[in-house]
Amino acid sequence: MRFGLIGSITSRIIELDYNITCIDSGYIRPQLAACYLIEQEGIAGIIETGTAHSLETILGVLKYKNIALENVRYVMPTHVHLDHAGGAGHLMQHLPNARLVIHPRGARHMIDPSRLWAGALAVYGEAALGNLYGELLPIAEERILIAEDEFELDLNGRRLLFLDTPGHAYHHYSIYDAMSRGFFTGDTFGIAYRELRSAQGPCLMPTTTPVQFDPGAWYQTLERYLSYRPARMYLTHYGMVEGVRGLAAELRRDIEQYVRIAERYADTEERYELIKTALMELTLEKVKAMDCPLPAAACKAMLQMDLELNTQGLEVWLDRQGAACG
């Protein structure tokens, strides 16, 4: 499921300060997943690629903003989950001077995406996988830059710092942009759909999708973010949020609640259903407390996919904990 290129390019972008553009990647529905274009005096980088189906939109935005394809120097997926990096191979084919910047644990999957494809195929099936993500294309090793922890790039005088930020996934980095005092956080600062925002602010929630949820590592990542005193975070799901310290505390509390829910039902026969129901109840209570403008039924429908994936990730974490104890 995906939505097409509907209307003008301007309907698919949000222009932010500091020469940053939020681009709707077109994944499943509007305002679910974003890519970001970051510019510095005619030279550009792209953070997140969306899926193969996102290519037309990203190229359209570059054309709309009069950025030559030759002037895009870096493509930077925060991690290799397919809604973030599935379109990387397609995009790189159109950007002759670009290098793909990737976490060291993710590089082999960009060079040879066959294992990524096989893993996703087992979950979705071939027809659904193609519809959701399209084809995965390999990227030549010589076009890849490995972003070790604290790796730095100079984007035409603009400093970008890459930090190893596990918690959601072990192959996840975040990018600190000193000019905006903001982090591009992928999934490690949670998700905050714009439809759920209210006068109280964004409604932030964790994303614990399989298979590498690690709460201890995630708490450390949140502390590391705060050590930079960022003014804002650029979420893939979805858009820019401010008030970072308060949101970080909220996200930590939610992760702790997720862990308690998972542990409460760890040994029950209907573990999956009980965890999923508890997560939905927790999230709907939070949305209600924030006076979200959407009716409860619409909120529940919007959150269904995320909470199913979050439940699956918590189950994998529980099994891993059990194996470690055994």
Side-chain angles (χ1 to χ4, degrees):
M1 301 185 320
R2 55 192 171 91
F3 69 95
L5 191 59
I6 301 169
S8 67
I9 286 294
T10 55
S11 71
R12 304 294 295 275
I13 63 176
I14 303 171
E15 297 286 7
L16 304 171
D17 292 336
Y18 307 102
N19 295 318
I20 295 170
T21 304
C22 177
I23 305 169
D24 196 319
S25 74
Y27 179 62
I28 298 182
R29 63 168 176 81
Q31 299 189 101
L32 189 148
C35 307
Y36 290 91
L37 174 68
I38 182 168
E39 306 169 67
Q40 185 64 23
E41 297 180 359
I43 302 300
I46 295 169
I47 299 169
E48 313 290 40
T49 71
T51 72
H53 305 308
S54 307
L55 176 66
E56 183 181 356
T57 296
I58 294 173
L59 295 179
V61 171
L62 292 172
K63 182 177 181 180
Y64 169 76
K65 295 180 71 68
N66 296 313
I67 297 172
L69 299 180
E70 294 80 6
N71 287 343
V72 178
R73 299 296 166 81
Y74 302 109
V75 174
M76 299 166 274
T78 59
H79 58 302
V80 302
H81 289 168
L82 297 186
D83 54 328
H84 297 256
H90 293 267
L91 186 57
M92 291 290 287
Q93 288 189 340
H94 291 265
L95 306 175
N97 296 327
R99 305 286 296 276
L100 184 90
V101 187
I102 198 73
H103 190 283
R105 291 176 180 261
R108 63 192 177 99
H109 296 295
M110 296 289 94
I111 297 167
D112 177 7
S114 59
R115 288 186 63 184
L116 275 182
W117 183 262
L121 188 64
V123 175
Y124 297 104
E126 188 166 358
L129 186 58
N131 196 29
L132 278 171
Y133 300 111
E135 185 183 7
L136 302 184
L137 296 182
I139 298 168
E141 187 171 359
E142 60 268 21
R143 297 192 68 189
I144 289 178
L145 286 176
I146 304 297
E148 301 280 357
D149 189 37
E150 299 190 349
F151 176 75
E152 291 191 26
L153 280 180
D154 183 325
L155 183 69
N156 202 27
R158 186 169 185 159
R159 175 175 171 262
L160 301 177
L161 174 66
F162 293 73
L163 299 182
D164 181 28
T165 50
H168 171 77
Y170 294 136
H171 48 83
H172 197 301
Y173 64 54
S174 298
I175 306 167
Y176 182 67
D177 171 40
M179 181 176 289
S180 67
R181 291 181 56 217
F183 275 103
F184 296 88
T185 62
D187 285 344
T188 317
F189 204 70
I191 60 179
Y193 295 132
R194 296 176 67 82
E195 299 93 331
L196 300 180
R197 292 188 183 194
S198 70
Q200 298 182 39
C203 183
L204 197 67
M205 57 182 280
T207 173
T208 62
T209 51
V211 294
Q212 295 175 344
F213 170 60
D214 183 337
W218 205 330
Y219 302 148
Q220 293 176 14
T221 288
L222 292 177
E223 290 301 317
R224 196 171 190 200
Y225 282 147
L226 293 177
S227 72
Y228 285 80
R229 299 187 177 182
R232 52 195 55 86
M233 303 299 226
Y234 301 99
L235 311 185
T236 303
H237 310 286
Y238 183 96
M240 184 191 73
V241 297
E242 297 177 310
V244 175
R245 183 165 292 277
L247 289 175
E250 177 185 338
L251 183 58
R252 178 172 181 133
R253 286 193 299 269
D254 284 351
I255 295 168
E256 290 170 346
Q257 287 183 296
Y258 269 44
V259 168
R260 286 195 292 271
I261 287 170
E263 290 176 338
R264 183 187 312 151
Y265 298 117
D267 298 321
T268 59
E269 290 186 7
E270 298 182 356
R271 185 176 72 176
Y272 174 83
E273 289 299 330
L274 290 168
I275 292 174
K276 185 177 72 170
T277 298
L279 293 185
M280 181 64 77
E281 290 174 352
L282 173 70
T283 309
L284 290 177
E285 286 174 6
K286 181 175 182 177
V287 168
K288 182 179 179 181
M290 293 189 65
D291 295 323
C292 171
L294 279 186
C299 290
K300 186 173 182 178
M302 175 178 291
L303 295 167
Q304 191 71 35
M305 180 184 73
D306 287 297
L307 295 182
E308 287 176 355
L309 290 169
N310 282 356
T311 302
Q312 293 169 18
L314 289 174
E315 286 207 294
V316 172
W317 175 73
L318 285 171
D319 291 342
R320 194 165 60 240
Q321 296 297 105
C325 292

